[in-house]
Amino acid sequence: MPAKCPLHRSTEVSYGYHVPNRNQGVDRAPDDPGHPPDPARRSRTRRGHPGARAGRPAAARLPAHPRDLAVRRTPAGRGGLLGHRPRPARPRRQLPSTHGYRADAIAAHLAALLDALGERQAHVAGIDLAVAPAFALAAAYPERVASLTLSEGLIGLLPGAEDFLRQGPPWWFGFHQAPGGLAEDVLANSADRYIRHFLSAGSRHGLPDDLTRTIVEAYRGKEALRNAFDHYRAMPATAHWAATWARTGKLTPPALTLGGGVLGPATAGQLEPLATRLTAHILEDCGHITPIDQPAAFARLLTAHARTA
């Protein structure tokens, strides 16, 4: 890619939703010929690839220079191995299990990750559960975000999504938020069927069988489910943070929203009063999992947005 292209200069930060992975969250960029692209990771920026296939152990995949890294975040491990919790912040004290899953806490981790990689800015993309953390990174650290792309997700309960929330949040929000690990216990022997239900409902064209198997396997076990559901349990705290920030904040990085067949214009509606530069698109013939149902359109719009940021 030309040296003048911002994608060539910036690290990718992609907080892929709902696809916990047993590998570390740092991988080669998808243009590595030895590491072919795969849509299992649902948010990418460089050259429009939806994701990169999980393969060799992470240590074997690390490139020699941070500029070649494609940084990926997954709900289950929050950057570590699946099922491992982040170490508590100092001073050590008892924190709710969802503390580290608030959008602003995840944003702080992403900013620290950019520091560790020696990168000043990144093109940031978030889908579904990743929308709130991606927004939080752009809101709290605008100087670190070259462009922001959000698709099919909500930013707390900010105004603009009233049509989608007219009858309240989807039923699974409450189920996943139930305290005491209720959802994990109920699904202990049914996770395979449960995950396949959402994958089927989320795509109008269907996911490849190998990708479906990879995602289902990643959710195997109560700890993997707990790590995913803790994002939902942190939603009230994330909503409070977003509402507080929105009272006086303005989103300055250029923003793009790509609506699908579930939330449609809801994400753009929430951003409209906050963003100084906003472009909104609705992807046709598309379900909830936008990079799967319309990969070419998704990649084209995202890449064009990053190039012109």
Side-chain angles (χ1 to χ4, degrees), residues 45 75 138 156-157 164 197 202 206 208 215 282:
T45 50
L157 297 175
F164 177 75
H197 165 76
I215 296 172
I282 300 294

Side-chain angles (χ1 to χ4, degrees), residues 208-226:
D209 290 341
D210 61 340
L211 176 57
T212 298
R213 288 193 298 270
T214 298
I215 296 172
V216 169
E217 176 62 27
Y219 279 106
R220 194 172 302 282
K222 288 180 63 175
E223 187 66 15
L225 291 171
R226 179 178 298 112

